[in-house]
Every structure is written in structure tokens, then in C-alpha cells.
């Protein structure tokens, strides 16, 4: 029933499904934010935000860009989870408007006041949590409530970010809260979709060893990850935290090895999911090394944010955009270029921390790679998301599926 209503939507196709506007505008916002960040970092540009430049940059990535992608994914998945009708049309446009308003007021919050910016900015995730909870409970899909619980913690982290920057002068704990939620979401959702998508493709195109589906081992790793991340939020440089991070990092590597990613090299649309997940254990291990005093803490943070979050969001955005608009599930040359750009960006951003002598060069490489990846997504997928899927195929170089 949900699918029929979605297919018969009579309005602008951009508002037919939640992934369409949120993936498109999140990609544009991600690229423009980094385009502005480098001049801000070097003191060549300023915005009228109540946040310091570093905090504005972190907030717009962690509590601006990522919640939009999460929302696009969540409200696309929930109808499949519950069998209920999707959010579309006017309600979807209203939700998008609240998100856009948050981006504006945070950037000009020096003029509007920090409290007003907090209320407007936090309203978006509050609406997302309320709507998602209603849909999941109404559909009796209790097993997915933990996902909404993590989004609720992300909302709390966003509120704390505003409060912390106002009263303490800079964000600290609230940054780690947001990052912790994002990594748990990647571990939880990625742990379900990566082996599932991989199994489906291997059975059809490359029979043989199959990935191990989500089970008790995965649940245990997620639980231990949550404990390690809580320790990291509270005491990031504590020795016990470092040991916990190292153990969990190794467990995530074992988990990844069970998903048969080495057998997906023929299909980059699948391979990128496995490559993106590599940055999850890498972030844990780099944070463990930081706890020993051998690396700056930002190395692990950027492995998680530029690497895991950046790569996994693009992997999910490209696949979902193709799949939910009826296109062939294969990575065109343009899509592969997007994947290459984000991997280069992630490696360069971590490298800038690990090799400070090359900091400036690597920062510029990372920024350029990130902008190319996300602006490339907006350009390549914009026609598909905003209008007719078939009109967009030639632009993207993606073959139309057989009808």
C-alpha cells in the first residue's frame, strides 16, 4: 500500500520520498560547508555565528549534514519496516524547511542569539524522533526502536553542543556524544545491510562463500562498542579507554572479515560499503593509540568522520537513490569517481594529522576530495532525485533496468 501511494504521488518528485530532498541537500550542504571551512581555518573568511570557526565546522558536519542523511535513510526505511505509508508531500517539505532553517540560524546566530538558534536547530531532530517513534510504534516494529533511541541521543548531543559552547566557550563532550552515536548507527545499520546486500549479490553473480548474517556476535560487538564509546566520551585519553578501544577495533575487523567483502570487487556499489566500514575499526585503533599518547586524538576522529561517516553516507546515498528510483544497481564511472574522491579525502584528512609536516597540502587534498565527492553526487544524482529517473540516466551513465 505504501509503495502504491508513493508511485502515485502527483506532486514534485523531489517530495515523493524522504531520501530525495535530504540526500540532495545534505550533499550540497556538505560540499559548501567544507568549501567555506578552509578559508575560515586560514582566517580569510568569517561567518556571523555564535560558534567559534572550529565549532561551526564541527557542528555543521556532525549535527547539520549527518542528521539530514540519517533522516533521508530513516524515513525511507521505516515504511519497509512497518508497512505504513511514507512521509511525503507537504509534511516532508515542512520537515526539510525546519532543517534548512537550522542551517541558517546556526550560521547567523551571533545576530539571532544562541538560545534562538538552539531552539530552531534542535526542532528538526525533535520532529524526526517524534515522527519516527510514532510510525514504528503504530507499525508494531519494536525491534527498530533502538535506532530511534540513538537519534534521540543525537538530539541531546546537539542541545548540549549549543549549551556547552555558550557556557564553556567551546564544545568538547557534546562532540564525542555525537560522534559516538554516528559510529553506533553505522555499526548497527551497516551490520545489517552490508552482509544482506552482499549475500544477495553473491548468490546471483558470484556463488561460493557467503557473508555471515547479523547474529549474537554482532550484537555483542555493538554492545561492547557502546561501552567503549561511553568510556571515550567521559575520558578519551584514559588508559582503560585505550585498551577498550583497541579490543573493540579488533572485533570490528573480525566482524568485517565475516562479510566476504573480498568477493565483491566486481561490483563497486557493494565494495564501497566494505571499504567504508574499514574506517570504523581504524578509528577505534587510532583512538587507542591516542590514549597511549602516540597520536593526536583527531586522527581517530577524522577516521570516523571523514572516513566512516563520509564514505558510508555516500555508499548508502548512491545505492538507495538508484534502488528506490528503479535504476540498475551498478556503479557507473561517475559513481566510481565519487567513491574514489571520498576515499582520497578520508585518507588525506587522517594523513594530515599523522604527518603534520604535510598538513597544509593534505588538508587541501582532503577538502578538494570531499567537495568533489559530495558536489559530484549532487550534480550526478540531482536530476534523478528532483525529477524523472529516466531523464537522469544518460547524465549518470547508468543503464536503465530491463522492464
Amino acid at each position: 500500500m505504501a509503495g502504491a501511494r508513493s508511485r502515485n504521488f502527483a506532486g514534485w518528485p523531489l517530495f515523493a520520498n524522504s531520501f530525495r530532498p535530504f540526500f540532495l541537500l545534505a550533499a550540497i550542504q556538505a560540499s559548501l560547508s567544507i568549501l567555506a571551512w578552509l578559508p575560515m581555518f586560514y582566517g580569510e573568511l568569517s561567518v556571523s555565528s555564535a560558534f567559534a570557526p572550529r565549532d561551526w565546522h564541527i557542528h555543521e558536519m556532525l549535527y547539520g549534514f549527518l542528521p539530514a542523511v540519517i533522516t533521508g535513510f530513516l524515513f525511507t526505511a521505516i515504511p519497509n519496516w512497518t508497512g505504513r505509508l511514507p512521509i511525503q508531500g507537504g509534511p516532508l517539505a515542512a520537515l526539510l524547511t525546519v532543517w534548512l532553517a537550522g542551517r541558517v540560524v546556526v550560521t547567523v546566530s551571533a545576530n539571532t542569539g544562541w538560545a534562538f538558534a538552539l531552539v530552531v536547530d534542535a526542532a528538526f531532530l525533535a520532529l524526526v524522533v517524534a515522527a519516527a517513534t510514532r510510525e514504528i510504534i503504530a507499525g508494531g516494529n519494536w525491534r527498530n526502536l533502538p535506532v530511534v533511541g540513538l537519534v534521540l541521543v543525537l538530539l541531546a548531543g546537539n542541545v548540549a553542543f549549543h549549551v556547552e559552547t555558550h557556557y564553556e566557550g567551546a564544545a568538547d563532550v557534546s562532540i564525542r556524544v555525537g560522534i559516538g552515536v554516528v559510529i553506533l548507527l553505522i555499526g548497527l545499520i551497516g551490520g545489517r545491510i552490508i552482509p544482506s546486500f552482499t549475500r544477495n549479490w553473491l548468490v546471483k553473480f558470484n556463488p561460493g562463500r557467503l557473508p555471515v548474517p547479523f547474529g549474537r556476535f554482532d550484537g555483542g560487538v555493538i554492545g561492547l562498542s557502546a561501552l567503549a564509546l561511553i568510556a571515550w566520551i567521559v575520558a578519551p585519553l584514559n588508559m582503560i579507554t585505550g585498551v577498550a578501544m583497541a579490543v573493540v577495533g579488533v572485533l570490528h575487523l573480525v566482524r568485517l572479515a565475516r562479510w566476504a567483502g573480498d568477493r565483491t570487487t566486481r561490483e563497486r556499489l557493494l565494495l564501497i560499503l566494505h571499504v567504508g566500514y574499514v574506517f570504523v575499526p581504524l578509528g577505534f585503533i587510532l583512538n587507542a593509540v591516542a590514549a597511549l599518547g602516540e597520536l593526536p586524538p583527531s586522527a581517530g576522529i577524522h577516521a570516523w568522520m571523514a572516513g566512516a561517516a563520509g564514505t558510508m553516507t555516500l555508499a548508502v546515498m548512491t545505492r538507495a537513490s538508484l534502488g528506490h528510483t528503479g535504476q540498475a544497481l551498478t556503479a557507473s564511472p561517475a559513481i566510481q569517481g565519487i567513491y574514489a574522491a571520498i576515499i582520497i579525502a578520508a585518507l588525506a584528512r587522517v594523513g594530515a594529522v599523522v604527518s603534520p609536516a604535510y598538513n597544509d597540502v593534505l588538508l587541501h587534498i582532503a577538502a578538494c576530495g570531499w567537495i568533489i565527492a559530495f558536489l559530484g553526487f549532487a550534480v550526478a544524482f540531482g536530476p534523478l532525485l528532483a525529477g524523472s529517473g529516466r531523464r537522469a540516466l544518460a547524465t549518470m551513465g547508468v543503464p536503465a533496468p530491463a522492464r
Side-chain angles (χ1 to χ4, degrees), residues 173-207:
V173 175
S174 56
I175 296 173
R176 295 194 293 278
V177 169
I179 293 172
V181 169
V182 169
I183 296 307
L184 284 176
L185 282 170
I186 291 174
L188 183 60
I189 296 171
R192 293 187 181 278
I193 67 173
I194 295 174
S196 176
F197 292 160
T198 302
R199 172 178 288 268
N200 293 342
W201 185 84
L202 288 175
V203 166
K204 187 174 182 180
F205 295 106
N206 193 13

Side-chain angles (χ1 to χ4, degrees), residues 235-255:
L237 300 180
N238 183 276
M239 184 64 68
I240 296 175
T241 300
V243 172
M245 284 285 187
V247 170
V248 171
V250 172
L251 289 175
H252 275 285
L253 284 174
V254 173
R255 190 183 189 209

Side-chain angles (χ1 to χ4, degrees), residues 122-326:
F124 173 69
L125 278 175
L127 290 171
V128 170
V129 169
T133 302
R134 179 199 65 194
E135 291 299 303
I136 287 177
I137 291 177
N141 188 256
W142 302 98
R143 67 190 290 266
N144 284 306
L145 269 180
V147 174
V148 181
L150 287 174
V151 179
L152 180 61
V153 178
L154 191 65
L155 166 61
N158 190 17
V159 172
F161 192 104
H162 285 268
V163 173
E164 198 173 23
T165 53
H166 180 71
Y167 288 104
E168 301 295 331
D172 181 33
V173 175
S174 56
I175 296 173
R176 295 194 293 278
V177 169
I179 293 172
V181 169
V182 169
I183 296 307
L184 284 176
L185 282 170
I186 291 174
L188 183 60
I189 296 171
R192 293 187 181 278
I193 67 173
I194 295 174
S196 176
F197 292 160
T198 302
R199 172 178 288 268
N200 293 342
W201 185 84
L202 288 175
V203 166
K204 187 174 182 180
F205 295 106
N206 193 13
R209 177 170 52 90
L210 297 176
V212 180
F214 193 100
R216 290 184 178 179
F217 175 78
D218 300 270
V221 174
I222 296 298
L224 291 173
S225 298
L227 293 176
L229 287 166
I230 290 171
W232 177 70
I233 291 167
V234 175
L237 300 180
N238 183 276
M239 184 64 68
I240 296 175
T241 300
V243 172
M245 284 285 187
V247 170
V248 171
V250 172
L251 289 175
H252 275 285
L253 284 174
V254 173
R255 190 183 189 209
L256 181 62
R258 288 155 49 98
W259 294 341
D262 58 291
R263 305 192 65 236
T264 65
T265 54
R266 284 164 43 196
E267 182 46 74
R268 307 299 194 272
L269 202 69
L270 268 178
L271 180 63
I272 190 63
L273 289 166
H274 295 267
V275 172
Y277 201 88
V278 169
F279 288 99
V280 172
L282 179 61
F284 277 104
I285 292 168
L286 289 176
N287 275 297
V289 176
L292 298 175
E294 299 298 324
L295 273 180
S298 58
I301 289 174
H302 286 302
W304 276 338
M305 296 305 292
T311 306
M312 290 296 289
T313 53
L314 277 171
V316 170
M317 286 161 62
T318 50
R319 185 183 184 90
S321 297
L322 293 174
H324 287 279
T325 54

